[in-house]
Amino acid sequence: METVKLSNGVEMPLLGYGVFLVPPQEAERCVGDALSVGYRLIDTAQAYQNEEGVGTAIANSGIKREDIFLVTKVWIANAGEEKAARSIDDSLRSLKTDYIDLLLIHQAYGDVFGSWRAMEQAYKAGKVRAIGVSNFQAARFFDFAHYVDIKPMVNQLQCNVLIQQTGIQPHLSETGTKMMAWGPLGGQGVDGIVKNESLSAIGARYGKSAAQVALRWLTQRGIVAIPKSSHKERMAQNFNIFDFTLSEEEMRQIASLNQHDTGTINFQDPQFVKYLIETYG
C-alpha cells in the first residue's frame, strides 16, 4: 500500500475504506470484509453511530492494531473543549482501542476552537496520533489554521474527478495539510464517474474500470481516498489500483473533467448550517 507522510511524520495509507451510511448492524461485517481484502485504513465518525461495529471488526480481525490506520471524527453535538474531550474517550471505548490514528473535527460549526484544544491535549497525551478537520472550505480553513497551535494535518473534503478542490490546495500546502477525499466515486449530488466515457477509455488501456482510474487519479496526486461499498467484490476492485500509473497526459485529461471545484454542498448556506445544528447539534 502506498502512503502519504503527514506533517508530523505519521505515514497514512493513500487508500482506505469508508463507512458513511453503513448501518451499525452491518458495520462489523463490512469492515471485516474490507480488512480481509487488504484495506488498512478505516474511516468512521461519531455521527455514523457505527464505531462499535468498526471496533469489533478490528478486534476480531487478527490483524495487529499498529497495522491499521483508524480515523474518526468529533461531531457537532460534542463541540467544545469539555464535551469533545469526553467524546474522544467515548470513541476510544466504542472502537475498543487505546488510540486513534487520525481524529478530525467533522463540521466547521459550533465551538471548533474548544474542540481543537481537546484534540491537541489528546494528541499530546498519546490518545491520538494525528489531528485534522473535515469539510473546512478554503476561507474557513485559512482562518482556523491561523489561530491554532498545532496545524491541521488533514482536511477531509468532498473530492473526486468531477470535484477537484484545486482552489484550496495552496492554502493546504501553506500548513503542510494533506487532503482526504470523501465521495471519491460520486454520490451526494455527483453522478457519472463510474460510467464516464473518458475514464473508461483510459482504463481500457490498463484493463481497469472507470472507477479504478478515478481512484488512481486521486492517489497519484497524493490525495487519500476512502471509497465505500457493502459488496466485497467491489471493495476488492476499488483496492486494486496500485499496479498501474497514469501518464501525465492522462492526468491532464482527467483534470479537464472538473465541474464543481468546491463541491455540491454549500457549507456557507445558513439554511444548511441551521439544518445541521437543529437536526444533529
Side-chain angles (χ1 to χ4, degrees), residues 18 21 25 40 52 65 71 82 89 125 141 161 179 191 211 214 229 235 240 255 258 264:
L21 296 181
Q25 62 273 20
R40 292 297 179 266
E52 188 167 348
R65 174 64 185 87
V71 185
E82 293 183 5
D89 288 337
F141 177 82
V161 297
M179 189 187 301
D191 297 311
S229 176
M235 293 179 194
N240 186 24
N258 198 22
T264 58

Side-chain angles (χ1 to χ4, degrees), residues 63-108:
I63 300 169
K64 293 179 181 179
R65 174 64 185 87
E66 58 266 29
D67 292 334
I68 296 174
F69 195 98
L70 185 55
V71 185
T72 194
K73 311 174 192 77
V74 175
W75 186 234
I76 298 171
N78 296 321
E81 189 166 358
E82 293 183 5
K83 289 166 65 173
R86 288 196 297 269
S87 79
I88 294 167
D89 288 337
D90 289 341
S91 287
L92 287 167
R93 283 190 289 270
S94 295
L95 292 165
K96 302 174 180 61
T97 184
D98 294 329
Y99 66 94
I100 295 162
D101 293 278
L102 174 63
L103 182 66
L104 307 175
I105 294 179
H106 202 152
Q107 297 283 357

Side-chain angles (χ1 to χ4, degrees), residues 9 15 19 37 46 50 76 86 98 102 108 115 118 127 130 139 155 178 182 210 221 223 229 231 247 266 270 280:
L15 186 70
V19 297
V37 164
Q46 295 169 355
N50 55 22
I76 298 171
R86 288 196 297 269
D98 294 329
L102 174 63
S115 297
K127 296 179 180 180
N155 189 2
K178 301 301 182 182
W182 65 260
R221 294 176 64 205
I223 297 173
S229 176
H231 303 288
S247 69
N266 182 3
Y280 302 107

Side-chain angles (χ1 to χ4, degrees), residues 118-129:
M119 291 165 61
E120 288 178 328
Q121 290 303 312
Y123 174 70
K124 294 173 183 176
K127 296 179 180 180
V128 180
R129 296 180 66 219

